[in-house]
Amino acid sequence: MTRRAIIKGIAAAPFVGAAGSLLAPTAAHAATIDAGQYSLTSRSYNSHGEFAALAAGLAASLTKVDATTVIADTNRSADVLSSAPSTSEAFQAGFAWDPDDQEVAYWIPQGVTTSADAYGNGLYPEGGSNKVILVSWYFETDTDPDNAGDEQPIDKGMRLTFVDYNTPSAPTYRHILLVEPVRTSTGAYSFNPVRKHAGGIMWYGNLLYVVDTYKGLRIFDLNTLFTVPTTEKDVCGLHTDGQYYGYGYKYVLPQSHAYDNAGTWLRYSAIGLDRASTPDSLVIGEYSLSGVVDYEEPGDPFLGSTKPTNTVPKVVRWELDYTDRHPGSLTATEAVTVAQQKIQGVVSRKTKHYLSVSAGPSSAGTLRTFTSGANSASTVADLAIGSEDLSYHSSGASGWSYSESVIWNASEYVNKRYVYAVRADGS
């Protein structure tokens, strides 16, 4: 589900299909459209300078570590699931967060990806042996809009959870803070929280891709994290005492690159990796409340050059370059519409696409699939209530494989928060 600030004002009228009937959960028509209209621009800098130079400036004052350090330094325990969570079907494996993370209202889980995305054998780092799951969360300052005065005073942005899944019967984890490197008014190196939705994430090699709904993609290099003191819970960046803090988190991960939307506007709601395509590719899925995508974000200069006339939700693909883990082309190679509301996650296997579809705080989510250009989508299995992002885990991941391919999902609602895998064929 999107931030209230994102969905505020979106029309709630149901989508009307070609035949004039209301969009039914069993009918999601798809069509191939021109992919060339969707493009990205590569950006290695922000208004404070080159990302690499900003990270080097921070490294002069802070201890630099990589993701393996965080994986070896988990500090919370998850509860293993012995059976399917909530309404989920075709259950394979998974866990629930500890009570504090189940109950916290202002941190909301969204994106999921695993080391089976990072490397083909499922293990991290390259040549290593770790089985890892990553989950993104966003901070919601107003957790109860009907109760004035309960707002959180600080929007702490996005955090990322490293889950050590080397022992599936006893997973452990640690939260870190995602930040953007900056310089202060005096020129000192610092960082700010990234106040975005974190709706979908994808791990590819050493890079973490995070969708930025109206802007494009933010990239974070998992070889470059920094250790900071944990004593100041409400301070992010360089403080007046000369120390750096990350809202009480021990590690911060600074942004290292960006890909901004440059062509026809696209809503970057969800992201997934396709290792079955040649070359590997990423796919973007669009969220809509009622089957009509809303593109308005006043004042954002990175929306692109062309306002779309087609507001049906889309799945759009870009090729990846495995040698540097960045997009291999800045122009999309495939685009399909799919008349499906409330798409929260997407993964693809060549022309076959999987969607997670949400249905509010009391009804089951669903895993659906369709083929590019097909007339309809079909339901594979029910998911947990509050289903969010997806990550495909191939049975071909030799270092960390299941007997058949599975798809990971994360669910978002308080006391209904699970990270779990379902069998991709719904069996």
Side-chain angles (χ1 to χ4, degrees):
M1 183 176 293
T2 57
R3 282 180 183 264
R4 290 182 180 85
I6 292 177
I7 66 171
K8 185 178 181 181
I10 296 177
F15 177 76
V16 179
S21 59
L22 298 183
L23 180 67
T26 56
H29 301 288
T32 301
I33 59 175
D34 174 28
Q37 65 185 298
Y38 299 103
S39 60
L40 297 162
T41 56
S42 177
R43 179 164 57 88
S44 62
Y45 59 89
N46 60 17
S47 61
H48 300 269
E50 292 284 330
F51 287 121
L54 296 171
L58 290 170
S61 300
L62 297 171
T63 300
K64 178 183 171 183
V65 300
D66 60 22
T68 58
T69 299
V70 181
I71 297 163
D73 190 27
T74 54
N75 63 342
R76 299 191 180 204
S77 297
D79 296 323
V80 67
L81 294 173
S82 58
S83 60
S86 179
T87 54
S88 177
E89 299 173 324
F91 174 74
Q92 177 68 45
F95 62 89
W97 304 106
D98 77 6
D100 286 345
D101 289 320
Q102 281 286 0
E103 296 169 7
V104 64
Y106 45 78
W107 279 116
I108 303 175
Q110 296 288 289
V112 63
T113 185
T114 79
S115 50
D117 283 336
Y119 292 103
N121 67 356
L123 303 177
Y124 185 84
E126 188 173 21
S129 60
N130 287 307
K131 303 171 185 178
V132 186
I133 300 168
L134 301 182
V135 175
S136 63
W137 308 58
Y138 77 88
F139 196 90
E140 177 58 73
T141 56
D142 187 4
T143 58
D144 185 1
D146 296 326
N147 184 11
D150 73 331
E151 295 86 355
Q152 296 295 314
I154 302 172
D155 182 347
K156 296 184 178 180
M158 302 189 300
R159 72 181 184 184
L160 182 71
T161 306
F162 284 81
V163 182
D164 179 347
Y165 208 66
N166 288 307
T167 305
S169 61
T172 59
Y173 63 96
R174 177 183 283 277
H175 305 305
I176 69 157
L177 191 70
L178 295 175
V179 298
E180 182 168 1
V182 298
R183 300 189 77 164
T184 69
S185 58
T186 64
Y189 293 98
S190 186
F191 47 81
N192 291 332
V194 182
R195 292 179 172 131
K196 297 293 180 178
H197 182 58
I201 58 177
M202 184 191 82
W203 191 359
Y204 192 53
N206 63 305
L207 299 184
L208 177 71
Y209 286 67
V210 181
V211 292
D212 189 333
T213 309
Y214 296 102
K215 196 169 185 177
L217 302 169
R218 291 176 184 254
I219 311 298
F220 298 80
D221 185 348
L222 295 179
N223 288 331
T224 304
L225 296 94
F226 295 106
T227 305
V228 294
T230 60
T231 49
E232 292 287 346
K233 308 298 184 184
D234 292 329
V235 177
C236 181
L238 181 61
H239 195 33
T240 53
D241 63 1
Q243 296 291 315
Y244 291 84
Y245 301 98
Y247 290 138
Y249 295 103
K250 184 177 179 179
Y251 301 100
V252 298
L253 174 58
Q255 184 175 340
S256 62
H257 205 86
Y259 288 94
D260 298 325
N261 191 70
T264 298
W265 298 359
L266 185 70
R267 184 168 173 143
Y268 294 78
S269 302
I271 186 171
L273 175 67
D274 185 353
R275 282 192 173 277
S277 64
T278 304
D280 295 343
S281 57
L282 67 85
V283 289
I284 297 296
E286 292 189 298
Y287 175 87
S288 68
L289 184 63
S290 58
V292 177
V293 181
D294 176 69
Y295 294 99
E296 297 301 325
E297 178 72 351
D300 193 333
F302 294 102
L303 277 171
S305 58
T306 306
K307 188 172 182 177
T309 56
N310 186 336
T311 58
V312 179
K314 300 161 197 73
V315 174
V316 181
R317 181 191 303 271
W318 276 267
E319 293 181 346
L320 292 165
D321 184 344
Y322 79 93
T323 62
D324 65 6
R325 303 294 171 169
H326 284 265
S329 171
L330 296 179
T331 301
T333 58
E334 181 187 20
V336 293
T337 62
V338 55
Q340 176 65 64
Q341 61 191 22
K342 297 184 179 179
I343 296 171
Q344 302 283 10
V346 60
V347 288
S348 298
R349 302 289 287 176
K350 297 183 179 179
T351 59
K352 186 174 185 177
H353 311 285
Y354 295 87
L355 309 171
S356 65
V357 178
S358 63
S362 58
S363 299
T366 52
L367 178 66
R368 311 203 72 209
T369 186
F370 74 97
T371 302
S372 297
N375 289 326
S376 63
S378 59
T379 295
V380 177
D382 282 346
L383 297 174
I385 294 169
S387 59
E388 287 291 328
D389 200 21
L390 299 176
S391 177
Y392 194 94
H393 188 140
S394 172
S395 60
S398 57
W400 177 18
S401 62
Y402 296 101
S403 59
E404 55 187 289
S405 296
V406 301
I407 296 176
W408 289 88
N409 179 239
S411 54
E412 69 170 352
Y413 292 117
V414 168
N415 291 322
K416 299 176 183 178
R417 291 173 173 169
Y418 311 104
V419 179
Y420 61 100
V422 299
R423 291 179 285 278
D425 65 359
S427 64

